[in-house]
Amino acid sequence: MSTTEKSAAWPLKPLRQRLRLLYHGRSPVAVRFQRAVLVVDLAIIVFFIAGPLLKDRPSYLWLDVFVALLLLADIAARGLATSDLRRWLRQPTTLVDIFVLVTLLLPGLLANFGFLRVLRLWTLSRTGFLWQSLRKRGYRQWEETGRAIVNLVTFLFVVASFIFTFFAGTDSGIKGYIDALYFTVTSVTTTGYGDITLPGPWGKLVSIAVMIVGISLFVRLAQAIFRPAKVHYPCPQCGLHRHDPDAVHCKACGHMLNIPDEGQ
């Protein structure tokens, strides 16, 4: 790096260090900042989910621009906070956030892809801070259940938005977003009342995909809720983390374990 480039980058160095501490630190100030960002993220997700119901209102465009500015500021701050910008830009969560931002900035051109904005919920679930409170309070066993719930909810709203975007107003019987969400839930749960069906070959293919992927996520959630809880204790021999609470030997390598009882 030349002297000119170094001098140009120098003013950003204190800012980058400050942002890195806020986004990735564990100090009380950093924790409060991360909680505030989490609240804003959840509010943005609620806006995305309610978007199909609000898009006909005059204030929707202003809300869209405001959310775009918030997301742009968050992406820029996270980019400055990272120590490896190229690696950060290649992460799926970053790519999803950038695409969501583009759909917000260009709603006229990318209106048909607006349903992908709900993927922001999935990117939020990939951040460790969302699950830190569970771990700190001794509820780490519920983390897998929480992730399964987030994946299922994200799938339901993304698919419902997709169906509403491409099939509303056809012979499917879908007249609004609630109808699309209703069809998605009945397909995932294999209820199949038959009052709403997607027309044509593409409708049948979409229905098949919804049923296969949806039931897989539904079964995954059921497993996370009802199967015996595992404890997270790394095996000194092979590194396997998940074990039965009363395990004496690692089921992968047979190494003797010394899992502490709860409260120790």
Side-chain angles (χ1 to χ4, degrees):
M1 181 181 294
S2 64
T3 305
T4 305
E5 292 174 336
K6 288 181 179 180
S7 61
W10 172 252
L12 291 177
K13 188 174 181 180
L15 176 62
R16 296 186 66 180
Q17 291 177 343
R18 178 64 175 171
L19 290 173
R20 193 173 293 119
L21 290 175
L22 288 175
Y23 274 99
H24 307 294
R26 294 294 181 267
S27 66
V29 175
V31 171
R32 287 195 294 269
F33 173 81
Q34 293 165 16
R35 287 177 179 173
V37 172
L38 179 61
V39 171
V40 173
D41 283 335
L42 292 174
I44 292 175
I45 291 168
V46 171
F47 169 75
F48 290 158
I49 293 175
L53 304 176
L54 301 175
K55 67 177 184 178
D56 293 330
R57 298 190 178 185
S59 59
Y60 177 77
L61 182 59
W62 293 104
L63 287 173
D64 189 89
V65 173
F66 178 70
V67 171
L69 293 176
L70 284 178
L71 188 55
L72 176 62
D74 181 60
I75 292 175
R78 291 182 186 275
L80 290 172
T82 186
S83 57
D84 190 342
L85 183 60
R86 292 183 178 179
R87 181 181 178 184
W88 176 76
L89 287 173
R90 291 195 298 265
Q91 293 179 352
T93 54
T94 304
L95 296 175
V96 169
D97 283 344
I98 292 175
F99 183 81
V100 169
L101 176 62
V102 173
T103 63
L104 289 168
L105 294 175
L106 302 173
L109 296 177
L110 299 175
N112 288 341
F113 295 95
F115 63 90
L116 292 177
R117 297 173 184 175
V118 187
L119 287 175
R120 176 71 177 172
L121 178 61
W122 176 77
T123 63
L124 180 61
S125 72
R126 308 301 295 178
T127 60
F129 182 77
L130 189 61
W131 313 109
Q132 286 177 7
S133 58
L134 290 178
R135 299 170 186 172
K136 289 181 180 180
R137 290 171 174 77
Y139 297 109
R140 185 168 184 174
Q141 68 272 17
W142 291 103
E143 180 178 343
E144 184 177 355
T145 303
R147 291 182 182 274
I149 292 175
V150 169
N151 291 337
L152 179 59
V153 171
T154 303
F155 175 80
L156 290 177
F157 281 105
V158 168
V159 172
S161 301
F162 172 84
I163 292 174
F164 174 73
T165 300
F166 292 101
F167 290 96
T170 62
D171 297 333
S172 61
I174 296 176
K175 299 179 181 179
Y177 185 76
I178 300 299
D179 294 332
L181 182 61
Y182 165 78
F183 169 80
T184 304
V185 173
T186 55
S187 297
V188 168
T189 57
T190 67
T191 304
Y193 291 116
D195 51 345
I196 297 179
T197 56
L198 302 185
W202 285 109
K204 293 179 181 179
L205 290 175
V206 170
S207 301
I208 292 172
V210 170
M211 286 183 281
I212 293 176
V213 178
I215 195 62
S216 300
L217 294 174
F218 193 79
V219 170
R220 178 68 175 173
L221 174 59
Q223 289 177 339
I225 294 175
F226 295 109
R227 72 181 179 184
K230 302 284 186 177
V231 296
H232 291 263
Y233 179 82
C235 173
Q237 184 74 19
C238 67
L240 182 68
H241 274 256
R242 292 173 54 84
H243 301 281
D244 294 325
D246 58 349
V248 178
H249 297 87
C250 175
K251 62 181 180 181
C253 66
H255 186 79
M256 179 74 72
L257 299 176
N258 187 22
I259 302 176
D261 294 331
E262 186 177 355
Q264 290 185 356

